[in-house]
mmCIF file of all heavy atoms in Angstrom:
data_model
loop_
_atom_site.group_PDB
_atom_site.id
_atom_site.type_symbol
_atom_site.label_atom_id
_atom_site.label_comp_id
_atom_site.label_asym_id
_atom_site.label_seq_id
_atom_site.Cartn_x
_atom_site.Cartn_y
_atom_site.Cartn_z
ATOM 1 N N ALA S 140 -63.461 -53.775 28.271
ATOM 2 C CA ALA S 140 -62.363 -54.541 27.664
ATOM 3 C C ALA S 140 -62.900 -55.818 27.026
ATOM 4 O O ALA S 140 -63.918 -56.364 27.446
ATOM 5 C CB ALA S 140 -61.327 -54.898 28.724
ATOM 6 N N PHE S 141 -62.205 -56.272 26.002
ATOM 7 C CA PHE S 141 -62.540 -57.537 25.342
ATOM 8 C C PHE S 141 -61.611 -58.625 25.867
ATOM 9 O O PHE S 141 -60.501 -58.334 26.307
ATOM 10 C CB PHE S 141 -62.322 -57.420 23.831
ATOM 11 C CG PHE S 141 -63.159 -56.359 23.175
ATOM 12 C CD1 PHE S 141 -62.637 -55.110 22.899
ATOM 13 C CD2 PHE S 141 -64.470 -56.622 22.824
ATOM 14 C CE1 PHE S 141 -63.406 -54.131 22.290
ATOM 15 C CE2 PHE S 141 -65.251 -55.654 22.203
ATOM 16 C CZ PHE S 141 -64.712 -54.398 21.943
ATOM 17 N N SER S 142 -62.050 -59.873 25.748
ATOM 18 C CA SER S 142 -61.189 -61.005 26.117
ATOM 19 C C SER S 142 -61.241 -62.063 25.032
ATOM 20 O O SER S 142 -62.277 -62.247 24.383
ATOM 21 C CB SER S 142 -61.653 -61.642 27.429
ATOM 22 O OG SER S 142 -61.404 -60.762 28.491
ATOM 23 N N ILE S 143 -60.122 -62.770 24.872
ATOM 24 C CA ILE S 143 -60.018 -63.786 23.812
ATOM 25 C C ILE S 143 -60.458 -65.131 24.395
ATOM 26 O O ILE S 143 -59.644 -65.862 24.948
ATOM 27 C CB ILE S 143 -58.552 -63.844 23.314
ATOM 28 C CG1 ILE S 143 -58.103 -62.461 22.830
ATOM 29 C CG2 ILE S 143 -58.375 -64.898 22.229
ATOM 30 C CD1 ILE S 143 -56.621 -62.336 22.527
ATOM 31 N N VAL S 144 -61.759 -65.412 24.328
ATOM 32 C CA VAL S 144 -62.243 -66.620 25.007
ATOM 33 C C VAL S 144 -63.082 -67.560 24.164
ATOM 34 O O VAL S 144 -63.277 -68.716 24.541
ATOM 35 C CB VAL S 144 -63.077 -66.275 26.271
ATOM 36 C CG1 VAL S 144 -62.211 -65.827 27.409
ATOM 37 C CG2 VAL S 144 -64.148 -65.246 25.980
ATOM 38 N N SER S 145 -63.617 -67.100 23.059
ATOM 39 C CA SER S 145 -64.517 -67.944 22.262
ATOM 40 C C SER S 145 -64.548 -67.415 20.837
ATOM 41 O O SER S 145 -64.002 -66.344 20.557
ATOM 42 C CB SER S 145 -65.936 -67.887 22.848
ATOM 43 O OG SER S 145 -66.422 -66.561 22.766
ATOM 44 N N VAL S 146 -65.222 -68.143 19.958
ATOM 45 C CA VAL S 146 -65.378 -67.669 18.578
ATOM 46 C C VAL S 146 -66.140 -66.341 18.587
ATOM 47 O O VAL S 146 -65.781 -65.394 17.885
ATOM 48 C CB VAL S 146 -66.115 -68.731 17.724
ATOM 49 C CG1 VAL S 146 -66.635 -68.130 16.427
ATOM 50 C CG2 VAL S 146 -65.186 -69.894 17.428
ATOM 51 N N ASN S 147 -67.178 -66.264 19.418
ATOM 52 C CA ASN S 147 -67.966 -65.029 19.471
ATOM 53 C C ASN S 147 -67.123 -63.838 19.910
ATOM 54 O O ASN S 147 -67.207 -62.755 19.329
ATOM 55 C CB ASN S 147 -69.149 -65.185 20.435
ATOM 56 C CG ASN S 147 -70.207 -66.110 19.863
ATOM 57 O OD1 ASN S 147 -70.299 -66.260 18.646
ATOM 58 N ND2 ASN S 147 -70.969 -66.734 20.727
ATOM 59 N N SER S 148 -66.297 -64.028 20.939
ATOM 60 C CA SER S 148 -65.501 -62.898 21.426
ATOM 61 C C SER S 148 -64.406 -62.545 20.415
ATOM 62 O O SER S 148 -64.087 -61.374 20.220
ATOM 63 C CB SER S 148 -64.920 -63.189 22.810
ATOM 64 O OG SER S 148 -63.797 -64.026 22.715
ATOM 65 N N ALA S 149 -63.844 -63.563 19.752
ATOM 66 C CA ALA S 149 -62.796 -63.300 18.754
ATOM 67 C C ALA S 149 -63.359 -62.475 17.599
ATOM 68 O O ALA S 149 -62.764 -61.496 17.150
ATOM 69 C CB ALA S 149 -62.232 -64.623 18.230
ATOM 70 N N ARG S 150 -64.556 -62.860 17.173
ATOM 71 C CA ARG S 150 -65.210 -62.156 16.056
ATOM 72 C C ARG S 150 -65.494 -60.700 16.456
ATOM 73 O O ARG S 150 -65.322 -59.779 15.672
ATOM 74 C CB ARG S 150 -66.517 -62.900 15.763
ATOM 75 C CG ARG S 150 -67.134 -62.640 14.443
ATOM 76 C CD ARG S 150 -68.124 -63.712 14.052
ATOM 77 N NE ARG S 150 -68.891 -64.304 15.145
ATOM 78 C CZ ARG S 150 -69.554 -65.457 15.031
ATOM 79 N NH1 ARG S 150 -69.528 -66.135 13.920
ATOM 80 N NH2 ARG S 150 -70.238 -65.939 16.044
ATOM 81 N N GLN S 151 -65.888 -60.533 17.717
ATOM 82 C CA GLN S 151 -66.203 -59.179 18.194
ATOM 83 C C GLN S 151 -64.945 -58.300 18.232
ATOM 84 O O GLN S 151 -64.979 -57.135 17.850
ATOM 85 C CB GLN S 151 -66.830 -59.290 19.588
ATOM 86 C CG GLN S 151 -67.498 -58.026 20.050
ATOM 87 C CD GLN S 151 -67.917 -58.103 21.509
ATOM 88 O OE1 GLN S 151 -67.350 -58.887 22.279
ATOM 89 N NE2 GLN S 151 -68.888 -57.296 21.882
ATOM 90 N N ILE S 152 -63.826 -58.875 18.675
ATOM 91 C CA ILE S 152 -62.574 -58.098 18.737
ATOM 92 C C ILE S 152 -62.149 -57.687 17.325
ATOM 93 O O ILE S 152 -61.831 -56.532 17.055
ATOM 94 C CB ILE S 152 -61.447 -58.915 19.428
ATOM 95 C CG1 ILE S 152 -61.796 -59.175 20.887
ATOM 96 C CG2 ILE S 152 -60.095 -58.198 19.319
ATOM 97 C CD1 ILE S 152 -60.884 -60.182 21.596
ATOM 98 N N ARG S 153 -62.176 -58.654 16.417
ATOM 99 C CA ARG S 153 -61.776 -58.365 15.032
ATOM 100 C C ARG S 153 -62.658 -57.262 14.440
ATOM 101 O O ARG S 153 -62.171 -56.284 13.860
ATOM 102 C CB ARG S 153 -61.922 -59.640 14.190
ATOM 103 C CG ARG S 153 -61.422 -59.499 12.777
ATOM 104 C CD ARG S 153 -62.016 -60.554 11.864
ATOM 105 N NE ARG S 153 -63.430 -60.309 11.623
ATOM 106 C CZ ARG S 153 -64.304 -61.250 11.277
ATOM 107 N NH1 ARG S 153 -63.922 -62.499 11.159
ATOM 108 N NH2 ARG S 153 -65.561 -60.949 11.068
ATOM 109 N N GLU S 154 -63.972 -57.403 14.647
ATOM 110 C CA GLU S 154 -64.912 -56.414 14.106
ATOM 111 C C GLU S 154 -64.711 -55.051 14.742
ATOM 112 O O GLU S 154 -64.798 -54.028 14.075
ATOM 113 C CB GLU S 154 -66.362 -56.869 14.378
ATOM 114 C CG GLU S 154 -66.794 -58.045 13.558
ATOM 115 C CD GLU S 154 -67.140 -57.659 12.129
ATOM 116 O OE1 GLU S 154 -67.706 -56.574 11.935
ATOM 117 O OE2 GLU S 154 -66.826 -58.432 11.210
ATOM 118 N N HIS S 155 -64.439 -55.030 16.042
ATOM 119 C CA HIS S 155 -64.285 -53.763 16.754
ATOM 120 C C HIS S 155 -63.056 -52.996 16.236
ATOM 121 O O HIS S 155 -63.136 -51.798 15.969
ATOM 122 C CB HIS S 155 -64.158 -54.020 18.258
ATOM 123 C CG HIS S 155 -63.929 -52.769 19.050
ATOM 124 N ND1 HIS S 155 -64.957 -51.945 19.466
ATOM 125 C CD2 HIS S 155 -62.785 -52.165 19.454
ATOM 126 C CE1 HIS S 155 -64.451 -50.911 20.104
ATOM 127 N NE2 HIS S 155 -63.134 -51.022 20.114
ATOM 128 N N ILE S 156 -61.957 -53.710 16.079
ATOM 129 C CA ILE S 156 -60.733 -53.053 15.600
ATOM 130 C C ILE S 156 -60.971 -52.521 14.182
ATOM 131 O O ILE S 156 -60.621 -51.373 13.858
ATOM 132 C CB ILE S 156 -59.525 -54.025 15.648
ATOM 133 C CG1 ILE S 156 -59.200 -54.373 17.102
ATOM 134 C CG2 ILE S 156 -58.304 -53.420 14.948
ATOM 135 C CD1 ILE S 156 -58.139 -55.458 17.282
ATOM 136 N N GLU S 157 -61.628 -53.324 13.390
ATOM 137 C CA GLU S 157 -61.901 -52.909 12.005
ATOM 138 C C GLU S 157 -62.825 -51.680 11.995
ATOM 139 O O GLU S 157 -62.633 -50.758 11.208
ATOM 140 C CB GLU S 157 -62.534 -54.084 11.243
ATOM 141 C CG GLU S 157 -62.280 -53.962 9.774
ATOM 142 C CD GLU S 157 -62.359 -55.294 9.029
ATOM 143 O OE1 GLU S 157 -62.072 -56.348 9.620
ATOM 144 O OE2 GLU S 157 -62.713 -55.238 7.854
ATOM 145 N N TYR S 158 -63.790 -51.674 12.910
ATOM 146 C CA TYR S 158 -64.708 -50.528 13.007
ATOM 147 C C TYR S 158 -63.935 -49.247 13.339
ATOM 148 O O TYR S 158 -64.191 -48.187 12.763
ATOM 149 C CB TYR S 158 -65.772 -50.811 14.085
ATOM 150 C CG TYR S 158 -66.625 -49.615 14.406
ATOM 151 C CD1 TYR S 158 -67.712 -49.286 13.607
ATOM 152 C CD2 TYR S 158 -66.334 -48.799 15.493
ATOM 153 C CE1 TYR S 158 -68.486 -48.178 13.885
ATOM 154 C CE2 TYR S 158 -67.096 -47.676 15.775
ATOM 155 C CZ TYR S 158 -68.174 -47.378 14.966
ATOM 156 O OH TYR S 158 -68.933 -46.266 15.238
ATOM 157 N N GLN S 159 -62.962 -49.371 14.242
ATOM 158 C CA GLN S 159 -62.179 -48.185 14.624
ATOM 159 C C GLN S 159 -61.423 -47.637 13.416
ATOM 160 O O GLN S 159 -61.359 -46.427 13.205
ATOM 161 C CB GLN S 159 -61.183 -48.520 15.749
ATOM 162 C CG GLN S 159 -61.812 -48.987 17.045
ATOM 163 C CD GLN S 159 -62.583 -47.884 17.754
ATOM 164 O OE1 GLN S 159 -62.902 -46.836 17.201
ATOM 165 N NE2 GLN S 159 -62.907 -48.120 19.018
ATOM 166 N N PHE S 160 -60.865 -48.520 12.602
ATOM 167 C CA PHE S 160 -60.142 -48.087 11.399
ATOM 168 C C PHE S 160 -61.117 -47.468 10.388
ATOM 169 O O PHE S 160 -60.828 -46.438 9.775
ATOM 170 C CB PHE S 160 -59.390 -49.273 10.765
ATOM 171 C CG PHE S 160 -58.041 -49.498 11.373
ATOM 172 C CD1 PHE S 160 -57.917 -50.049 12.637
ATOM 173 C CD2 PHE S 160 -56.882 -49.142 10.692
ATOM 174 C CE1 PHE S 160 -56.671 -50.248 13.215
ATOM 175 C CE2 PHE S 160 -55.632 -49.334 11.261
ATOM 176 C CZ PHE S 160 -55.524 -49.894 12.523
ATOM 177 N N ALA S 161 -62.281 -48.112 10.246
ATOM 178 C CA ALA S 161 -63.259 -47.624 9.257
ATOM 179 C C ALA S 161 -63.804 -46.256 9.661
ATOM 180 O O ALA S 161 -64.140 -45.432 8.806
ATOM 181 C CB ALA S 161 -64.392 -48.632 9.133
ATOM 182 N N THR S 162 -63.895 -46.006 10.972
ATOM 183 C CA THR S 162 -64.489 -44.757 11.456
ATOM 184 C C THR S 162 -63.487 -43.598 11.433
ATOM 185 O O THR S 162 -63.882 -42.444 11.283
ATOM 186 C CB THR S 162 -65.019 -44.974 12.907
ATOM 187 O OG1 THR S 162 -65.838 -46.130 12.889
ATOM 188 C CG2 THR S 162 -65.831 -43.795 13.400
ATOM 189 N N TYR S 163 -62.205 -43.924 11.582
ATOM 190 C CA TYR S 163 -61.164 -42.893 11.729
ATOM 191 C C TYR S 163 -61.258 -41.790 10.671
ATOM 192 O O TYR S 163 -61.309 -40.607 10.989
ATOM 193 C CB TYR S 163 -59.792 -43.578 11.676
ATOM 194 C CG TYR S 163 -58.640 -42.625 11.848
ATOM 195 C CD1 TYR S 163 -58.360 -42.043 13.085
ATOM 196 C CD2 TYR S 163 -57.821 -42.294 10.764
ATOM 197 C CE1 TYR S 163 -57.298 -41.181 13.249
ATOM 198 C CE2 TYR S 163 -56.750 -41.433 10.917
ATOM 199 C CZ TYR S 163 -56.495 -40.873 12.157
ATOM 200 O OH TYR S 163 -55.452 -40.010 12.311
ATOM 201 N N ASN S 164 -61.354 -42.165 9.410
ATOM 202 C CA ASN S 164 -61.371 -41.161 8.339
ATOM 203 C C ASN S 164 -62.738 -40.519 8.126
ATOM 204 O O ASN S 164 -62.869 -39.601 7.321
ATOM 205 C CB ASN S 164 -60.885 -41.785 7.026
ATOM 206 C CG ASN S 164 -59.370 -41.834 6.984
ATOM 207 O OD1 ASN S 164 -58.697 -40.957 7.525
ATOM 208 N ND2 ASN S 164 -58.830 -42.872 6.359
ATOM 209 N N MET S 165 -63.742 -41.004 8.834
ATOM 210 C CA MET S 165 -65.104 -40.455 8.688
ATOM 211 C C MET S 165 -65.307 -39.217 9.548
ATOM 212 O O MET S 165 -66.256 -38.469 9.341
ATOM 213 C CB MET S 165 -66.139 -41.496 9.139
ATOM 214 C CG MET S 165 -66.171 -42.771 8.355
ATOM 215 S SD MET S 165 -67.007 -42.580 6.803
ATOM 216 C CE MET S 165 -68.679 -42.286 7.336
ATOM 217 N N GLU S 166 -64.441 -39.034 10.548
ATOM 218 C CA GLU S 166 -64.682 -37.947 11.503
ATOM 219 C C GLU S 166 -63.998 -36.664 11.059
ATOM 220 O O GLU S 166 -62.859 -36.689 10.576
ATOM 221 C CB GLU S 166 -64.179 -38.367 12.884
ATOM 222 C CG GLU S 166 -65.068 -39.433 13.480
ATOM 223 C CD GLU S 166 -64.500 -40.049 14.742
ATOM 224 O OE1 GLU S 166 -63.278 -40.221 14.813
ATOM 225 O OE2 GLU S 166 -65.278 -40.354 15.639
ATOM 226 N N ALA S 167 -64.688 -35.533 11.245
ATOM 227 C CA ALA S 167 -64.135 -34.236 10.846
ATOM 228 C C ALA S 167 -62.835 -33.995 11.614
ATOM 229 O O ALA S 167 -61.811 -33.602 11.046
ATOM 230 C CB ALA S 167 -65.145 -33.144 11.153
ATOM 231 N N GLU S 168 -62.904 -34.246 12.902
ATOM 232 C CA GLU S 168 -61.692 -34.098 13.730
ATOM 233 C C GLU S 168 -61.165 -35.505 14.034
ATOM 234 O O GLU S 168 -61.793 -36.255 14.800
ATOM 235 C CB GLU S 168 -62.068 -33.388 15.028
ATOM 236 C CG GLU S 168 -60.877 -32.785 15.723
ATOM 237 C CD GLU S 168 -61.297 -32.167 17.050
ATOM 238 O OE1 GLU S 168 -62.373 -31.528 17.087
ATOM 239 O OE2 GLU S 168 -60.563 -32.359 18.026
ATOM 240 N N LYS S 169 -60.058 -35.853 13.408
ATOM 241 C CA LYS S 169 -59.584 -37.235 13.546
ATOM 242 C C LYS S 169 -59.055 -37.515 14.950
ATOM 243 O O LYS S 169 -58.305 -36.716 15.493
ATOM 244 C CB LYS S 169 -58.495 -37.518 12.511
ATOM 245 C CG LYS S 169 -59.033 -37.537 11.104
ATOM 246 C CD LYS S 169 -58.044 -38.164 10.176
ATOM 247 C CE LYS S 169 -58.542 -38.230 8.756
ATOM 248 N NZ LYS S 169 -59.252 -37.091 8.237
ATOM 249 N N LYS S 170 -59.505 -38.616 15.503
ATOM 250 C CA LYS S 170 -59.077 -38.973 16.869
ATOM 251 C C LYS S 170 -58.066 -40.104 16.771
ATOM 252 O O LYS S 170 -58.444 -41.255 16.544
ATOM 253 C CB LYS S 170 -60.281 -39.430 17.690
ATOM 254 C CG LYS S 170 -61.347 -38.390 17.885
ATOM 255 C CD LYS S 170 -62.359 -38.904 18.914
ATOM 256 C CE LYS S 170 -63.543 -37.964 19.030
ATOM 257 N NZ LYS S 170 -64.674 -38.334 18.196
ATOM 258 N N ASP S 171 -56.782 -39.787 16.979
ATOM 259 C CA ASP S 171 -55.736 -40.817 16.850
ATOM 260 C C ASP S 171 -55.890 -41.930 17.896
ATOM 261 O O ASP S 171 -55.492 -43.073 17.654
ATOM 262 C CB ASP S 171 -54.345 -40.187 16.967
ATOM 263 C CG ASP S 171 -54.002 -39.363 15.732
ATOM 264 O OD1 ASP S 171 -54.817 -39.364 14.775
ATOM 265 O OD2 ASP S 171 -52.946 -38.713 15.723
ATOM 266 N N GLU S 172 -56.479 -41.582 19.052
ATOM 267 C CA GLU S 172 -56.622 -42.604 20.112
ATOM 268 C C GLU S 172 -57.522 -43.762 19.667
ATOM 269 O O GLU S 172 -57.445 -44.857 20.198
ATOM 270 C CB GLU S 172 -57.111 -42.000 21.441
ATOM 271 C CG GLU S 172 -58.396 -41.235 21.397
ATOM 272 C CD GLU S 172 -58.175 -39.738 21.155
ATOM 273 O OE1 GLU S 172 -57.155 -39.386 20.534
ATOM 274 O OE2 GLU S 172 -59.040 -38.951 21.575
ATOM 275 N N ARG S 173 -58.388 -43.485 18.673
ATOM 276 C CA ARG S 173 -59.207 -44.558 18.094
ATOM 277 C C ARG S 173 -58.333 -45.706 17.589
ATOM 278 O O ARG S 173 -58.714 -46.869 17.593
ATOM 279 C CB ARG S 173 -59.949 -43.984 16.875
ATOM 280 C CG ARG S 173 -61.386 -44.226 16.909
ATOM 281 C CD ARG S 173 -62.052 -43.696 15.698
ATOM 282 N NE ARG S 173 -63.223 -42.913 16.052
ATOM 283 C CZ ARG S 173 -64.268 -43.398 16.680
ATOM 284 N NH1 ARG S 173 -64.327 -44.658 17.026
ATOM 285 N NH2 ARG S 173 -65.279 -42.622 16.985
ATOM 286 N N LEU S 174 -57.139 -45.345 17.120
ATOM 287 C CA LEU S 174 -56.251 -46.330 16.503
ATOM 288 C C LEU S 174 -55.279 -46.944 17.514
ATOM 289 O O LEU S 174 -54.387 -47.705 17.132
ATOM 290 C CB LEU S 174 -55.462 -45.686 15.358
ATOM 291 C CG LEU S 174 -56.308 -45.035 14.255
ATOM 292 C CD1 LEU S 174 -55.404 -44.318 13.267
ATOM 293 C CD2 LEU S 174 -57.155 -46.078 13.534
ATOM 294 N N ALA S 175 -55.447 -46.578 18.786
ATOM 295 C CA ALA S 175 -54.569 -47.179 19.809
ATOM 296 C C ALA S 175 -55.212 -48.455 20.341
ATOM 297 O O ALA S 175 -56.403 -48.492 20.643
ATOM 298 C CB ALA S 175 -54.335 -46.191 20.945
ATOM 299 N N ILE S 176 -54.399 -49.504 20.414
ATOM 300 C CA ILE S 176 -54.885 -50.798 20.923
ATOM 301 C C ILE S 176 -54.033 -51.161 22.136
ATOM 302 O O ILE S 176 -52.800 -51.207 22.046
ATOM 303 C CB ILE S 176 -54.755 -51.905 19.850
ATOM 304 C CG1 ILE S 176 -55.538 -51.509 18.584
ATOM 305 C CG2 ILE S 176 -55.231 -53.254 20.386
ATOM 306 C CD1 ILE S 176 -55.242 -52.370 17.366
ATOM 307 N N VAL S 177 -54.697 -51.369 23.269
ATOM 308 C CA VAL S 177 -53.980 -51.776 24.478
ATOM 309 C C VAL S 177 -54.186 -53.268 24.688
ATOM 310 O O VAL S 177 -55.311 -53.756 24.633
ATOM 311 C CB VAL S 177 -54.485 -50.993 25.714
ATOM 312 C CG1 VAL S 177 -54.023 -51.665 27.002
ATOM 313 C CG2 VAL S 177 -54.012 -49.551 25.677
ATOM 314 N N VAL S 178 -53.087 -53.984 24.912
ATOM 315 C CA VAL S 178 -53.184 -55.397 25.272
ATOM 316 C C VAL S 178 -52.731 -55.518 26.726
ATOM 317 O O VAL S 178 -51.587 -55.185 27.058
ATOM 318 C CB VAL S 178 -52.309 -56.274 24.345
ATOM 319 C CG1 VAL S 178 -52.346 -57.742 24.777
ATOM 320 C CG2 VAL S 178 -52.776 -56.145 22.898
ATOM 321 N N GLY S 179 -53.622 -55.962 27.579
ATOM 322 C CA GLY S 179 -53.303 -56.113 29.002
ATOM 323 C C GLY S 179 -52.759 -57.499 29.250
ATOM 324 O O GLY S 179 -53.440 -58.491 28.990
ATOM 325 N N GLY S 180 -51.493 -57.555 29.703
ATOM 326 C CA GLY S 180 -50.862 -58.841 30.008
ATOM 327 C C GLY S 180 -49.938 -59.284 28.894
ATOM 328 O O GLY S 180 -50.335 -59.341 27.718
ATOM 329 N N ALA S 181 -48.676 -59.566 29.272
ATOM 330 C CA ALA S 181 -47.697 -60.104 28.312
ATOM 331 C C ALA S 181 -47.392 -61.548 28.671
ATOM 332 O O ALA S 181 -46.247 -61.976 28.718
ATOM 333 C CB ALA S 181 -46.431 -59.260 28.300
ATOM 334 N N GLY S 182 -48.466 -62.306 28.971
ATOM 335 C CA GLY S 182 -48.334 -63.766 29.106
ATOM 336 C C GLY S 182 -48.375 -64.343 27.688
ATOM 337 O O GLY S 182 -48.293 -63.609 26.700
ATOM 338 N N PHE S 183 -48.548 -65.647 27.582
ATOM 339 C CA PHE S 183 -48.532 -66.271 26.251
ATOM 340 C C PHE S 183 -49.684 -65.782 25.369
ATOM 341 O O PHE S 183 -49.503 -65.562 24.171
ATOM 342 C CB PHE S 183 -48.542 -67.798 26.372
ATOM 343 C CG PHE S 183 -47.216 -68.342 26.824
ATOM 344 C CD1 PHE S 183 -47.014 -68.735 28.133
ATOM 345 C CD2 PHE S 183 -46.157 -68.432 25.937
ATOM 346 C CE1 PHE S 183 -45.783 -69.219 28.555
ATOM 347 C CE2 PHE S 183 -44.927 -68.915 26.343
ATOM 348 C CZ PHE S 183 -44.735 -69.301 27.662
ATOM 349 N N THR S 184 -50.866 -65.591 25.964
ATOM 350 C CA THR S 184 -52.000 -65.134 25.146
ATOM 351 C C THR S 184 -51.730 -63.731 24.610
ATOM 352 O O THR S 184 -51.926 -63.461 23.419
ATOM 353 C CB THR S 184 -53.306 -65.151 25.983
ATOM 354 O OG1 THR S 184 -53.519 -66.475 26.461
ATOM 355 C CG2 THR S 184 -54.497 -64.710 25.170
ATOM 356 N N GLY S 185 -51.289 -62.833 25.494
ATOM 357 C CA GLY S 185 -51.009 -61.452 25.085
ATOM 358 C C GLY S 185 -49.963 -61.400 23.983
ATOM 359 O O GLY S 185 -50.139 -60.729 22.960
ATOM 360 N N ILE S 186 -48.877 -62.147 24.161
ATOM 361 C CA ILE S 186 -47.774 -62.118 23.180
ATOM 362 C C ILE S 186 -48.216 -62.725 21.844
ATOM 363 O O ILE S 186 -47.931 -62.172 20.774
ATOM 364 C CB ILE S 186 -46.524 -62.842 23.750
ATOM 365 C CG1 ILE S 186 -45.952 -62.042 24.931
ATOM 366 C CG2 ILE S 186 -45.459 -63.050 22.681
ATOM 367 C CD1 ILE S 186 -45.508 -60.619 24.607
ATOM 368 N N GLU S 187 -48.952 -63.829 21.895
ATOM 369 C CA GLU S 187 -49.387 -64.440 20.627
ATOM 370 C C GLU S 187 -50.360 -63.515 19.888
ATOM 371 O O GLU S 187 -50.317 -63.401 18.665
ATOM 372 C CB GLU S 187 -50.034 -65.809 20.886
ATOM 373 C CG GLU S 187 -49.012 -66.852 21.315
ATOM 374 C CD GLU S 187 -49.472 -68.287 21.118
ATOM 375 O OE1 GLU S 187 -50.681 -68.548 21.231
ATOM 376 O OE2 GLU S 187 -48.603 -69.138 20.848
ATOM 377 N N PHE S 188 -51.214 -62.837 20.651
ATOM 378 C CA PHE S 188 -52.154 -61.898 20.021
ATOM 379 C C PHE S 188 -51.382 -60.727 19.391
ATOM 380 O O PHE S 188 -51.671 -60.314 18.262
ATOM 381 C CB PHE S 188 -53.174 -61.412 21.060
ATOM 382 C CG PHE S 188 -54.154 -60.410 20.517
ATOM 383 C CD1 PHE S 188 -54.990 -60.732 19.453
ATOM 384 C CD2 PHE S 188 -54.241 -59.136 21.066
ATOM 385 C CE1 PHE S 188 -55.904 -59.801 18.944
ATOM 386 C CE2 PHE S 188 -55.140 -58.208 20.569
ATOM 387 C CZ PHE S 188 -55.969 -58.535 19.507
#
Side-chain angles (χ1 to χ4, degrees):
F141 300 98
S142 291
I143 303 171
V144 285
S145 63
V146 164
N147 289 335
S148 78
R150 198 161 34 197
Q151 194 189 23
I152 295 169
R153 185 201 71 204
E154 289 282 323
H155 177 84
I156 294 173
E157 205 157 331
Y158 171 82
Q159 298 292 15
F160 275 74
T162 309
Y163 181 72
N164 279 327
M165 298 282 293
E166 289 171 323
E168 199 183 319
K169 292 195 179 41
K170 298 190 187 95
D171 288 356
E172 56 268 27
R173 232 182 228 298
L174 303 174
I176 302 168
V177 165
V178 177
F183 286 102
T184 302
I186 293 300
E187 289 200 328
F188 178 60

